[in-house]
Amino acid sequence: MKLLLKTVCLASAMALNGHAEHPKQSDDSHYNASPDRCAGIEFDAIAPDEKGTSYFFKGDHLWVGFSGPAELSNGTFKDLDEYHHLGHVDAAFRMHNKKDSGDHDHIYLFLNDKVFSYYKHSLEKGFPLEIQQQFPGVPSHLDAAVECPAGECVTDAVLFFKGKDVYHFDIATKMVKKKAWDHLPNCTSAFRWLEHYYCFHGHHFTRFHPVTGEVGENYPKDARHYFMRVSNVDHGASGKKEPCSAVHLDAITADDTGKRYAFRGKSYIRLDSHRDGTHPFPITKSWRDVTDGVDAVFSYDSKIYLIKGNQVYIYKADAHYTLIDGYPKPLKDELGVQGPVDAAFMCEGEPTVFLIQAFNIRQKMFSVDLNATPRSVKREVSLPFTKVDAAECGADGVRVFVGSKYYKYESPTILSHSKVTPVPFKISPKEFVCTE
C-alpha cells in the first residue's frame, strides 16, 4: 500500500509528454509562461472531476492529475477563455449531492462574483451565475472552497473560505453558518482527498477537521514533499505498488454509510474511493485511541467495533468517528468471548456477529446475538482453517482471507458446515491496488 499521490516534475515536459501547443499560444503573451510547481507554487484552486482526476489551477494554467506538466486551462475547460476570458479562478470544488443527479459530481469554478458549473468539462446551460444566486449567503471574491459529504460533515455541505472566515453551506437547506478560524492559515485553495481535508497556503499545506477546524499535528508541510516529486526532496515512499502476493490483511469491514476499510499493521486504506486515489493512513488518524493496530473489526448500528487483544473499542460513526464513553472495555464483557480473536464479520440486516478465533490447530467460529442482553455465544463451530487473517460478508457472500488469498462461501451457514476449504481466489489488483 505505497503512496500513489506523487508527481514527477519535468522541465520543458510538454513536448516530451505529447501535449500539443494550444492554438492561441502565439496570439496571447500570457500563454508563453508555463508555471513550474516544483518551484513552490501557490495554487489558486484544486478540484477533482467526476472520474477522480484532480486539477490544480494556477493563473491560466492547470495540472491534470498528479503527474505531467502544466497545461492551459482552456484546453480542458474550453469555455473559460473562448467565451468568458478568464485568466484564473479564485476557487473550485466537486459537488457531492447524490440526491440530485443533475448536480452531483459537477465541478464549480469561481471568479470574482461569478460561478461556473462544469460536467464532463462542458459548461452547464445557464452558467455563469452570480454566486448569490447559486449559493445564497456566500460572498464573492473567494479564496478557496471544498466539498464535505455527510458523514464527514453533519450533512452534505460546502466549505467556502475568505480570509479567516469559513462559510459552511448546507446543500439541502441552503443555510449558511459563518465561523472565524483564526488558527488556520489563509487558504488559497482547499482539497478533500480520501476523507482528509487540506488547506494550501504558499507551497505548504495544513490538514484540518472540516467541522471544528482543528489542525492536525506536525503541520504545515511542504506540498512538494507529498503532492509531487522534486529532485532534491522526497516523501520517502517509492510510489511503487506492492505485489499482490505480499498483501495480507488484519481486518476488513464496511460501515453503514458504505465506507469500506482494510486494516494492516498500524495503517488502513479506503477501498471504496479508488477513483480519487488510494493511500495508507495511520489508524490513529480516524480512531485515535487505537494505537497498536487491530485484530478484527466489524460495523453495526452506525458504530464500528475495533478489537485488539482482550479489548474492544466502539466508535460512533458520526461526522468523523467518536469513541463512546467508557471504552475500551474487555471483549469478554462486551461480546462474551475471551480475546484475542483473528477475524470478525456481520452480514447486512442480521444482528449476529461472527468471531473467528484460533483453537489448538483449528479455527473456531462463534456467533453472538447483538440484540441479546447480556451478549453471549449462542453457537460455536469448527472451521477447516489453521489460520485466518480477516473476514467479511457482502452481497456475494462471505470471504475468508488467509495471506494473499481468500475463500468464498455463499453464507455464514455454508461456512459453518464446511469440512474442507474450497479453491482459493487471489487478492484482486483492482480492489487492493497491488500488482500481479
Side-chain angles (χ1 to χ4, degrees):
M1 301 181 205
K2 296 293 187 180
L3 179 68
L4 300 181
L5 204 157
K6 303 194 72 176
T7 351
V8 178
C9 294
L10 300 172
S12 304
M14 293 187 74
L16 294 175
N17 284 271
H19 291 268
E21 292 183 348
H22 192 276
K24 286 191 174 183
Q25 188 160 357
S26 59
D27 299 328
D28 298 306
S29 60
H30 69 281
Y31 288 130
N32 294 325
S34 179
D36 176 13
R37 58 178 159 183
C38 293
I41 288 290
E42 181 175 82
F43 297 115
D44 294 331
I46 307 171
D49 68 7
E50 73 283 352
K51 294 181 179 179
T53 300
S54 295
Y55 295 88
F56 295 76
F57 295 85
K58 180 62 179 178
D60 55 10
H61 283 73
L62 57 76
W63 289 266
V64 181
F66 302 113
S67 62
E71 303 176 2
L72 291 166
S73 301
N74 58 17
T76 301
F77 299 94
K78 298 184 184 301
D79 298 308
L80 281 179
D81 223 24
E82 278 82 345
Y83 301 105
H84 302 290
H85 308 292
L86 303 186
H88 71 283
V89 296
D90 293 332
F93 74 91
R94 180 182 67 191
M95 176 63 75
H96 184 92
N97 184 12
K98 289 186 176 180
K99 294 180 180 179
D100 184 352
S101 60
D103 193 33
H104 182 61
D105 276 350
H106 287 217
I107 292 182
Y108 283 84
L109 305 179
F110 297 82
L111 178 67
N112 299 330
D113 60 352
K114 296 290 192 296
V115 57
F116 303 74
S117 175
Y118 281 83
Y119 186 65
K120 295 183 178 179
H121 305 151
S122 295
L123 185 65
E124 291 293 292
K125 185 178 179 180
F127 283 87
L129 294 172
E130 300 286 331
I131 293 176
Q132 290 282 327
Q133 289 179 262
Q134 190 72 12
F135 301 99
V138 174
S140 58
H141 301 278
L142 293 163
D143 292 329
V146 66
E147 70 279 7
C148 188
E152 298 171 25
C153 282
V154 178
T155 61
D156 287 337
V158 182
L159 277 59
F160 294 97
F161 296 79
K162 185 170 183 177
K164 294 294 185 181
D165 293 331
V166 180
Y167 299 79
H168 287 249
F169 182 87
D170 187 302
I171 293 170
T173 66
K174 296 188 179 297
M175 298 295 291
V176 175
K177 292 183 179 179
K178 179 182 175 182
K179 299 179 181 180
W181 285 353
D182 294 330
H183 58 284
L184 197 65
N186 284 356
C187 308
T188 62
S189 57
F191 187 36
R192 170 183 174 264
W193 193 66
L194 304 183
E195 299 182 88
H196 293 75
Y197 291 77
Y198 301 99
C199 161
F200 284 75
H201 44 96
H203 59 268
H204 292 87
F205 68 96
T206 296
R207 183 170 62 86
F208 66 93
H209 191 294
V211 177
T212 65
E214 179 184 357
V215 172
E217 295 181 359
N218 303 317
Y219 286 91
K221 296 180 179 180
D222 193 322
R224 294 172 296 180
H225 293 220
Y226 293 82
F227 291 90
M228 62 201 79
R229 180 180 293 167
V230 185
S231 59
N232 62 336
V233 290
D234 186 42
H235 179 48
S238 66
K240 295 181 180 179
K241 296 180 181 178
E242 186 176 25
C244 293
S245 59
V247 172
H248 71 272
L249 306 178
D250 291 332
I252 186 169
T253 193
D255 70 12
D256 293 343
T257 66
K259 297 176 184 176
R260 191 159 167 260
Y261 302 101
F263 298 81
R264 180 179 174 188
K266 294 186 179 182
S267 300
Y268 76 93
I269 62 168
R270 278 280 298 273
L271 297 175
D272 60 293
S273 56
H274 285 337
R275 74 168 180 171
D276 290 336
T278 187
H279 179 55
F281 290 103
I283 292 173
T284 52
K285 274 196 173 182
S286 292
W287 304 279
R288 64 177 59 189
D289 307 275
V290 184
T291 59
D292 196 30
V294 297
D295 296 329
V297 179
F298 68 92
S299 301
Y300 173 68
D301 191 25
S302 298
K303 302 178 185 69
I304 187 167
Y305 292 63
L306 297 98
I307 301 170
K308 181 63 178 180
N310 291 313
Q311 300 288 308
V312 58
Y313 300 76
I314 304 180
Y315 284 80
K316 186 177 180 181
D318 238 342
H320 293 259
Y321 293 99
T322 305
L323 185 67
I324 294 177
D325 288 343
Y327 288 87
K329 287 184 177 180
L331 186 61
K332 180 71 174 178
D333 294 350
E334 185 69 28
L335 298 177
V337 176
Q338 185 69 37
V341 298
D342 294 325
F345 68 91
M346 294 190 69
C347 297
E348 186 176 0
E350 298 293 332
T352 300
V353 60
F354 298 91
L355 304 169
I356 300 176
Q357 185 179 62
F359 187 79
N360 294 328
I361 61 171
R362 304 286 284 182
Q363 295 275 320
K364 284 194 172 184
M365 184 169 73
F366 305 91
S367 56
V368 177
D369 185 354
L370 296 183
N371 285 339
T373 304
R375 294 168 175 172
S376 61
V377 174
K378 65 178 184 179
R379 190 182 180 202
E380 174 184 328
V381 297
S382 293
L383 299 179
F385 295 96
T386 58
K387 181 180 184 295
V388 170
D389 292 323
E392 68 171 345
C393 182
D396 58 348
V398 178
R399 295 200 296 175
V400 177
F401 292 84
V402 180
S404 61
K405 298 178 181 179
Y406 65 90
Y407 301 81
K408 290 184 66 173
Y409 297 87
E410 292 183 9
S411 67
T413 301
I414 299 298
L415 171 60
S416 67
H417 287 91
S418 178
K419 301 301 180 183
V420 295
T421 57
V423 176
F425 294 83
K426 293 181 180 179
I427 281 179
S428 163
K430 182 178 180 181
E431 182 177 14
F432 292 97
V433 195
C434 52
T435 59
E436 292 280 13

